[in-house]
Amino acid sequence: MSPTAVTTPLRDYRGRFAPSPSGPLHFGSLVAAVGSFLDAKANQGKWLVRIEDIDTTRVVKNADSDILHTLQAYALNWDEPVVYQTQRLDLYQDVTQTLLKQNLIYACRCTRKQIKAIGGIYQGHCKSLNHDKTTGALRLTQQYPTTHFSDLIQGDINVNKALAVEDYLIKRSDGLFAYQLVVVIDDIDQGINRIVRGADLIEPTARQISLFKQLNSPTPEFAHLPLAVAEPGFKLSKQNYAPAISKQNPKPALISAFEFLGLPISTDLIDLNIEQLIAWGVKNFSLKQVPKVPEIQISQHPTHQAVQFTHLSK
């Protein structure tokens, strides 16, 4: 896989946008939604929406419906029924049971504080201690460490070797399945073959590639879009109270997202309605045009038309 591969349409393309319902969509999440949607449609593919609500401690009431209404306001219409992770617990448990039968999972009693004290990377302390697997956290024995992969936007990615070989959590001590497990199971189950998302998820991608191999499934292509940041290293996010994008007046933010993604925008676009704008975006989008940087700084909130972008190099 290489960045030049984007010149050839992906056969039977299946992509997705997978927000967590922890708050309304902001400009950063709009960029991820628009980028993944345009890439899917430019490849005559399917675009799915998955609500990643597996971490129930972060779920905000009615945020899922607000997110879906926002996507509709921007004419980002999904092709199959929306999937919720909390409705798929049996699937995750079945995969976990299979891994248990293969003796690839062990219980861990180490706390975050203990792991942080030794440098932040788990060293396999509990692997031979035979803790009870019915309670507490579960870790997966890493059999396919990934230290390098090619990204369709960011190019060659090298991963910290110590992190690549780490036995990581697949079930938390509070009983919740871990994101790293469920996201891969979902992508396999839904037949996702290209994942377009934000560059904040580059590091977890190595682990996910390893799990695709562990579960004997094809690895999707990955394309990580630049993050929208208020200042270097400070991404727009729900956690830092990034403002919600407008559902009532979506055109300015959508045009700003187009510009962020490298599309050749012009002042004429403001005269198009939202459906025409999306059609224009599909016609003009290419991953090759997306800036090959991990972050782009925005100088003001992009619900306004005058938005300045500053590309931040690797």
Side-chain angles (χ1 to χ4, degrees):
M1 189 193 308
S2 70
T4 57
V6 300
T7 58
T8 304
L10 185 63
R11 185 178 179 182
D12 299 324
Y13 186 117
R14 289 178 66 81
R16 46 79 161 178
F17 174 59
S20 60
S22 54
L25 294 185
H26 52 77
F27 183 69
S29 44
L30 177 66
V31 167
V34 171
S36 59
F37 180 90
L38 295 184
D39 192 54
K41 296 308 171 182
N43 284 279
Q44 299 85 47
K46 299 284 189 182
W47 187 70
L48 283 61
V49 172
R50 178 167 73 230
I51 301 295
E52 296 198 331
D53 59 347
I54 194 66
D55 187 352
T56 53
T57 64
R58 296 178 59 236
V59 170
V60 172
K61 186 178 181 180
N62 298 324
D64 59 326
S65 58
D66 183 72
I67 288 169
L68 297 177
H69 289 147
T70 302
L71 293 175
Q72 290 172 326
Y74 284 76
L76 299 171
N77 299 310
W78 46 95
D79 294 307
E80 295 180 9
V82 174
V83 165
Y84 286 73
Q85 289 180 327
T86 49
Q87 297 174 357
R88 298 160 65 80
L89 299 181
D90 288 345
L91 174 61
Y92 308 146
Q93 186 60 40
D94 287 346
V95 173
T96 301
Q97 285 299 122
T98 298
L99 293 169
L100 279 166
K101 290 176 182 177
Q102 296 170 348
N103 294 316
L104 294 173
I105 291 177
Y106 60 93
C108 177
R109 299 292 183 266
C110 297
T111 65
R112 287 185 181 181
K113 184 177 180 180
Q114 289 171 326
I115 295 170
K116 186 177 181 180
I118 59 171
I121 295 178
Y122 179 70
Q123 303 293 329
H125 175 75
C126 294
K127 196 165 190 174
S128 61
L129 299 181
N130 295 318
H131 293 305
D132 180 7
K133 298 184 185 71
T134 61
T135 59
L138 297 177
R139 290 186 181 271
L140 177 67
T141 299
Q142 177 61 272
Q143 292 195 310
Y144 297 91
T146 298
T147 58
H148 173 269
F149 65 93
S150 291
D151 187 87
L152 295 177
I153 297 172
Q154 304 294 336
D156 292 334
I157 305 294
N158 293 305
V159 181
N160 180 297
K161 185 177 180 181
L163 193 65
V165 301
E166 182 184 36
D167 293 345
Y168 57 89
L169 288 177
I170 63 167
K171 198 169 189 180
R172 302 178 354 182
S173 58
D174 59 8
L176 296 177
F177 288 104
Y179 165 78
Q180 295 286 14
L181 175 75
V182 302
V183 68
V184 172
I185 294 174
D186 288 336
D187 286 333
I188 292 170
D189 184 65
Q190 293 186 289
I192 303 300
N193 52 18
R194 183 179 290 177
I195 297 171
V196 180
R197 59 187 182 184
D200 55 328
L201 292 170
I202 286 178
E203 187 176 274
T205 297
R207 237 171 223 177
Q208 291 161 25
I209 291 172
S210 298
L211 187 53
F212 280 107
K213 295 176 182 177
Q214 180 67 63
L215 298 178
N216 196 29
S217 295
T219 301
E221 296 179 331
F222 288 90
H224 286 91
L225 304 166
L227 289 181
V229 298
E231 58 186 64
F234 190 75
K235 73 169 184 172
L236 299 181
S237 71
K238 298 164 187 172
Q239 285 69 42
N240 59 37
Y241 308 106
I245 52 175
S246 173
K247 291 192 283 290
Q248 291 72 37
N249 182 30
K251 286 199 292 184
L254 182 58
I255 293 171
S256 290
F258 286 169
E259 182 180 5
F260 187 98
L261 292 167
L263 274 73
I265 67 165
S266 68
T267 55
D268 297 339
L269 292 180
I270 200 66
D271 295 326
L272 302 180
N273 64 35
I274 201 72
E275 290 78 13
Q276 291 169 330
L277 274 173
I278 286 293
W280 178 91
V282 170
K283 182 178 180 181
N284 288 277
F285 180 80
S286 169
L287 282 181
K288 293 186 294 181
Q289 297 172 304
V290 177
K292 296 174 174 57
V293 294
E295 296 181 346
I296 298 177
Q297 187 172 349
I298 63 173
S299 61
Q300 68 180 74
H301 186 249
T303 53
H304 306 292
Q305 285 180 252
V307 182
Q308 298 296 318
F309 299 124
T310 302
H311 293 193
L312 304 173
S313 61
K314 294 183 180 180

